[in-house]
Amino acid sequence: NMLALNQESSRIIECIEEAKKQAEPLADKKNISIDIMGDTNTIVKYDKKWTLEAICNILENAIKYTNENGKIEINIEKLESFLRIDIIDNGIGIDNENINNVFKRFFREQKVHNIEGVGIGLYLSKNIIELQNGYIKLKSKIGEGSTFSVFLPL
């Protein structure tokens, strides 16, 4: 209940480019490239501050769990009713049994307890997107990476 949204119509690329800019210092330390592609012109009604927070959380996790010299792609696609933002990494991946758990508050997979974090970022991201009538989907494969798909209504 602490999230007060102020939704305005704006191009989503502005949010994504700012998230990339904020994440680049962390990515540069691991020589991870971040590429943005797809539909850069779509206008969506969203809360700029909180949506930026949600995208940054997902992007920072992608960097955190991707090995050095990896890559991250952000693909933007306009669908019939939603704008889809895929954040695709080639990182360590998530166990199938934990796919739904990663969005729970304070959840962290056992294998990543040596990596800094408290398990709140994805929980917060999910809540921010859902408060805007959107949703997040996750596909992942151990050793190949993860795709977090953020859907925002058009």
Side-chain angles (χ1 to χ4, degrees), residues 106-125:
F106 303 124
F107 177 83
R108 299 194 69 221
E109 282 190 296
Q110 190 65 37
K111 69 180 178 185
V112 300
H113 280 280
N114 61 327
I115 299 173
E116 185 179 325
V118 294
I120 197 82
L122 292 177
Y123 169 80
L124 181 60
S125 293

Side-chain angles (χ1 to χ4, degrees), residues 17-137:
E17 285 176 342
E18 180 60 29
K20 177 183 175 180
K21 180 180 163 189
Q22 289 185 25
E24 278 179 332
L26 186 61
D28 289 346
K29 287 181 184 177
K30 294 176 76 175
N31 195 35
I32 294 173
S33 65
I34 303 172
D35 296 316
I36 300 172
M37 59 196 85
D39 184 341
T40 59
N41 293 315
T42 298
I43 294 174
V44 180
K45 190 172 184 179
Y46 67 99
D47 182 284
K48 291 180 182 183
K49 174 187 160 195
W50 286 112
T51 303
L52 175 62
E53 178 73 22
I55 299 294
C56 280
N57 285 339
I58 296 168
L59 189 52
E60 288 171 7
N61 269 7
I63 295 166
K64 191 186 303 187
Y65 300 114
T66 295
N67 294 323
E68 288 191 14
N69 305 311
K71 70 176 187 171
I72 296 171
E73 294 177 4
I74 303 172
N75 189 42
I76 308 162
E77 180 183 6
K78 184 177 180 180
L79 305 173
E80 190 172 320
S81 302
F82 287 89
L83 180 78
R84 178 180 178 156
I85 305 162
D86 287 333
I87 301 171
I88 306 159
D89 67 58
N90 63 346
I92 62 173
I94 300 165
D95 287 325
N96 274 339
E97 64 202 39
N98 290 323
I99 292 286
N100 293 320
N101 293 330
V102 297
F103 295 105
K104 292 179 181 174
R105 189 166 48 165
F106 303 124
F107 177 83
R108 299 194 69 221
E109 282 190 296
Q110 190 65 37
K111 69 180 178 185
V112 300
H113 280 280
N114 61 327
I115 299 173
E116 185 179 325
V118 294
I120 197 82
L122 292 177
Y123 169 80
L124 181 60
S125 293
K126 181 177 184 273
N127 281 289
I128 290 167
I129 299 305
E130 287 179 349
L131 282 171
Q132 298 178 87
N133 297 313
Y135 61 99
I136 300 177
K137 290 177 71 173

